[in-house]
Amino acid sequence: MTIADLSAELKQVLNTIQEFVDAEIIPLEPLFLAHKFDELQPRLQAVRATARGLGLWLPQIPEAYGGMGLSLVEFGHVSEQLGRSLLGHYVFNCQAPDAGNMEILIAHGTETQQEKFLHPLLRGEIHSCFAMTEPENPGSNPTWMSTTAVKEGDSYIIDGHKWFTTAADRAAFAIVMAVTDSHAPKHRRASQIIVPTDTPGFHFLRNIAVMGETGDGLASHAEIRYDECRVPQEYLLGAEGAGFAIAQERLGPGRIHHCMRWIGICERAYDLMCRYAVLRQVAPGRTLAQQQTIQNWVAELRAEINASRLLVLHAAHKIDREGSYAARDDISLIKFYVANVLQRVLDLAIQTHGALGMTDELPLAYWYRHERAARIYDGPDEVHKRAVARRIFQRYGG
Ligand SMILES: Cc1cc2nc3c(=O)[nH]c(=O)nc-3n(C[C@H](O)[C@H](O)[C@H](O)COP(=O)(O)OP(=O)(O)OC[C@H]3O[C@@H](n4cnc5c(N)ncnc54)[C@H](O)[C@@H]3O)c2cc1C
């Protein structure tokens, strides 16, 4: 389960990926931090083509669909390496939300849906988004939503209001959660429906500014209205009423992807912090690394990052062997635990760098702004803690 247990072949792949991230991807970060996503496209597409040529493409996708066919544990290790850079997942075509959408299209897409939506996504030609959260309803309770999809002839007519639809900017289609039967039991009310973004009635209202940044391309979160948006019924994903179950299915492995990406971020921030601490002098001949406060942080964070990795790999191993449902407690534990470790690592790495930590000359401030959301998306901390605690108390008869 740990790196020592991996095959020699995968260890070699991980080495190649580590070198690739250092040599080809990290040098693009200053451009990413200073320019619009579109302006970076020619450089990014060139690096993507190189990665693909090396067979480093779609690590989480089965070989039959052109991916590397890794298990979740194996992908966890790859995801950590990619997470060290702001652009790693994008270059390997395993970035959220496309990665999750690919997985559900593989599991539930019809042949027509796969041809039209999945294959261009796998080839890296288009992007997609996932629209569940609504401003008027609590995203932490996705059984309660107002967006509806009503059948008319061969179509669904979709009406609703969504926000925080990540990467809707430039997306070719959205997978939209909408209520198809308001009288069904609450977990069977909603369905997932593919909506091409050029459908009349798909109104992109704005990218929402997050911590002062409106963002664009993949690094953006949109507000969208669906006004009598008509799509063919054949764009229904899976069975009618299965929207919630498919969302849960997507979120299990998705949380492993996020957590291992966060560990990659932690390792990079920690590395920057240690490098800086041994060089920066607070008085002639006295470095930051000689200060006991910094020494405490470096020791504590090392323990927290190592513990996070073991927890995540344990959860991934359980999903690989027994499925997401059996691993639901482990998934909730890593989701809130690693998100909080991430926050602490970024905070202390910035603190160690002083004013430099607040600038965009390092990736720390960008991560600090954007990854605060780690404790909110894919289930806020409190919801995961409540779910785990309830099941623990059930075992005590509570
Ligand atoms: C950067 C970012 C990207 C996102 N991307 C997407 C996306 O691509 N697609 C999409 O559909 N959504 C996306 N979301 C939305 C995200 O999934 C929701 O924000 C999340 O589910 C929480 O829903 P909410 O914001 O409506 O908060 P609410 O449900 O209103 O909850 C507010 C707060 O109340 C507390 N709380 C809620 N329930 C409980 C409880 N049972 N017990 C105790 N406390 C509780 C929590 O602290 C929570 O943070 C994104 C959000 C962010 C910030």
Side-chain angles (χ1 to χ4, degrees), residues 49-345:
T50 312
R52 197 173 177 177
L54 291 169
L56 306 175
W57 189 250
L58 299 168
Q60 80 291 8
I61 295 294
E63 284 171 328
Y65 285 88
M68 291 170 70
L70 301 181
S71 70
L72 206 48
V73 168
E74 292 169 334
F75 177 61
H77 288 285
V78 169
S79 191
E80 175 181 340
Q81 286 306 323
L82 300 180
R84 291 189 302 115
S85 170
L86 299 164
L87 295 162
H89 286 77
Y90 179 72
V91 169
F92 282 49
N93 201 13
C94 56
Q95 67 286 348
D98 288 332
N101 288 346
M102 290 173 195
E103 283 168 13
I104 54 178
L105 279 163
I106 286 173
H108 301 283
T110 62
E111 210 172 302
T112 316
Q113 290 169 354
Q114 293 198 352
E115 192 55 43
K116 207 163 175 162
F117 303 106
L118 173 64
H119 290 293
L121 212 49
L122 295 173
R123 291 193 294 267
E125 293 165 1
I126 59 167
H127 291 297
S128 63
C129 55
F130 184 74
M132 182 153 79
T133 309
E134 304 176 346
E136 296 82 7
N137 294 305
S140 50
N141 178 9
T143 61
W144 183 13
M145 60 179 60
S146 305
T147 301
T148 53
V150 177
K151 277 180 177 158
E152 195 184 281
D154 294 339
S155 308
Y156 279 112
I157 311 291
I158 300 174
D159 281 283
H161 184 199
K162 301 281 187 184
W163 80 340
F164 275 91
T165 307
T166 297
D169 191 5
R170 319 279 194 285
F173 67 92
I175 295 180
V176 179
M177 281 273 279
V179 174
T180 38
D181 181 359
S182 58
H183 301 295
K186 65 179 183 177
H187 289 100
R188 302 275 315 155
R189 279 177 205 158
S191 303
Q192 294 198 10
I193 300 172
I194 302 168
V195 180
T197 53
D198 60 1
T199 307
F202 181 99
H203 294 306
F204 182 103
L205 300 183
R206 60 173 175 144
N207 279 332
I208 304 158
V210 171
M211 298 263 179
E213 247 179 59
T214 310
D216 67 332
L218 291 187
S220 65
H221 312 285
E223 179 179 1
I224 294 162
R225 267 202 185 279
Y226 298 81
D227 290 325
E228 297 186 22
C229 233
R230 180 187 289 268
V231 294
Q233 280 181 30
E234 63 190 37
Y235 285 1
L236 173 73
L237 249 177
E240 205 173 77
F244 185 79
I246 297 175
Q248 288 302 105
E249 198 181 300
R250 170 200 172 98
L251 286 172
R255 285 169 182 146
I256 301 286
H257 297 188
H258 278 310
C259 286
M260 287 306 279
R261 184 173 61 79
W262 297 339
I263 292 170
I265 297 174
C266 287
E267 288 291 3
R268 176 89 182 282
Y270 186 81
D271 180 59
L272 289 168
M273 175 179 175
C274 293
R275 284 173 193 271
Y276 192 74
V278 295
L279 288 179
R280 182 69 161 177
Q281 297 187 8
V282 285
R286 271 185 44 217
T287 64
L288 269 181
Q290 288 168 304
Q291 310 308 307
Q292 195 171 20
T293 301
I294 309 281
Q295 292 168 354
N296 284 341
W297 292 348
V298 163
E300 287 166 12
L301 295 183
R302 189 65 270 155
E304 289 171 31
I305 300 169
N306 287 1
S308 297
R309 180 183 295 102
L310 287 173
L311 272 181
V312 178
L313 290 174
H314 173 76
H317 191 53
K318 195 156 177 180
I319 297 179
D320 277 340
R321 278 179 308 144
E322 300 171 40
S324 294
Y325 187 76
R328 62 197 191 284
D329 279 355
D330 304 86
I331 293 169
S332 281
L333 292 175
I334 60 168
K335 174 63 183 48
F336 71 79
Y337 183 79
V338 184
N340 281 273
V341 169
L342 169 68
Q343 226 98 107
R344 201 166 117 79
V345 171

Side-chain angles (χ1 to χ4, degrees), residues 27 39 59 99 109 199 264 274 316 354 367 372:
E39 293 166 25
T199 307
C274 293
W367 274 323
R372 173 61 183 84

